[in-house]
């Protein structure tokens, strides 16, 4: 498969990331938004699943999860860390999600953490168009993106909540939650977390 935009650096850092990302619990990461998630059982899509922390957290709560991770080193490590039988792992990537789209599925919940800032303006718009088409009525999209200095070897772009809200409106998605908070781990870094709903 072709290199997916924004994945530079992740294969080389996979061993460290597989350890570091798993230190934070699913419930802690999503503490401000989990009350907005649809009740399980439900179908969830985790885009840029990384170490599988979120996919595993959802699976243990009764969701059937399709976990998308384009970096083989991350995906293989995540499968070892999270062998839950109700997770289906997929080698796929934005903006097209060709494999997932080909499955003919739709989802009650889509999670996309620490992904969107890796995509340039045009690719972000295309990615959100693809994602919106996969969300069921009353379905939820939760996403987060980073602000601050770009780590060496990575590709990141600055994004605003207003941009995502406007893109969402054009796709029939309404913003129902937005919050920006300091990283707590990296000086000068903050994260925006948003939830959009398809009426």
């Amino acid at each position: 498969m072709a290199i997916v935009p924004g994945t530079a650096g992740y294969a080389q850092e996979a061993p460290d990331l597989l350890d570091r990302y798993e230190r934070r619990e699913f419930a802690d990461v999503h503490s401000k938004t989990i009350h907005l998630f649809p009740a399980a059982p439900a179908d969830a899509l985790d885009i840029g699943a990384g170490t599988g922390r979120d996919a595993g957290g959802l699976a243990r709560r009764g969701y059937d999860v399709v976990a998308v991770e384009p970096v083989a080193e991350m995906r293989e490590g995540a499968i070892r860390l999270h062998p839950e039988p109700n997770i289906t792992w997929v080698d796929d990537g934005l903006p097209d999600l060709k494999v997932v789209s080909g499955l003919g599925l739709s989802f009650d919940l889509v999670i996309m953490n620490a992904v969107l800032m890796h995509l340039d303006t045009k690719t972000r718009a295309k990615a959100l168009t693809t994602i919106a088409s996969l969300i069921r009525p009353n379905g939820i999209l939760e996403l987060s993106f980073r602000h601050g200095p770009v780590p060496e070897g990575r590709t990141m772009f600055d994004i605003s909540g207003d941009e995502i809200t406007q893109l969402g409106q054009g796709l029939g998605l309404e913003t129902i939650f937005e919050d920006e908070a300091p990283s707590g781990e990296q000086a000068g870094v903050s994260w925006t977390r948003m939830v959009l709903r398809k009426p």
Side-chain angles (χ1 to χ4, degrees):
M1 180 174 285
I3 298 297
V4 173
T7 59
Y10 281 92
Q12 295 88 335
E13 296 181 37
D16 173 63
L17 296 175
L18 286 162
D19 173 61
R20 181 153 47 96
Y21 287 178
E22 290 291 312
R23 294 177 191 169
R24 293 192 67 197
E25 295 289 336
F26 171 86
D28 293 336
V29 173
H30 303 277
S31 61
K32 296 180 180 180
T33 55
I34 197 167
H35 67 284
L36 298 170
F37 291 4
D43 295 312
L45 174 65
D46 184 5
I47 301 171
T51 68
R53 177 197 61 209
D54 292 344
L58 290 170
R60 290 189 295 275
R61 285 163 173 78
Y63 293 81
D64 287 318
V65 184
V66 174
V68 172
E69 177 49 56
V71 179
E73 291 83 354
M74 295 292 288
R75 188 176 62 255
E76 291 161 5
I79 291 170
R80 291 192 297 270
L81 288 170
H82 297 282
E84 289 85 355
N86 48 333
I87 302 177
T88 300
W89 288 92
V90 178
D91 178 5
D92 201 1
L94 292 168
D96 298 310
L97 290 177
K98 290 180 180 178
V99 176
V100 173
S101 297
L103 297 175
L105 301 175
S106 58
F107 300 91
D108 305 293
L109 172 65
V110 177
I111 286 182
M112 183 170 57
N113 282 305
V115 172
L116 209 57
M117 72 274 188
H118 293 300
L119 308 178
D120 62 30
T121 302
K122 182 178 178 180
T123 310
R124 285 198 298 274
K126 188 175 182 181
L128 285 171
T129 300
T130 299
I131 292 164
S133 71
L134 296 170
I135 302 174
R136 292 175 181 156
N138 295 314
I140 292 292
L141 166 62
E142 187 218 35
L143 54 88
S144 68
F145 46 90
R146 183 184 189 277
H147 311 280
V150 178
E152 186 177 351
R154 299 281 179 82
T155 300
M156 294 184 186
F157 301 90
D158 192 38
I159 310 174
S160 71
D162 287 344
E163 175 195 345
I164 302 308
T165 291
Q166 290 176 11
L167 285 171
Q169 287 174 344
L171 297 167
L173 304 174
E174 59 179 355
T175 297
I176 60 172
F177 176 89
E178 181 179 346
D179 177 69
E180 182 176 345
S183 163
E185 299 176 359
Q186 298 165 295
V189 173
S190 64
W191 287 86
T192 293
R193 186 169 298 276
M194 300 181 70
V195 177
L196 287 72
R197 185 177 70 88
K198 177 182 277 190

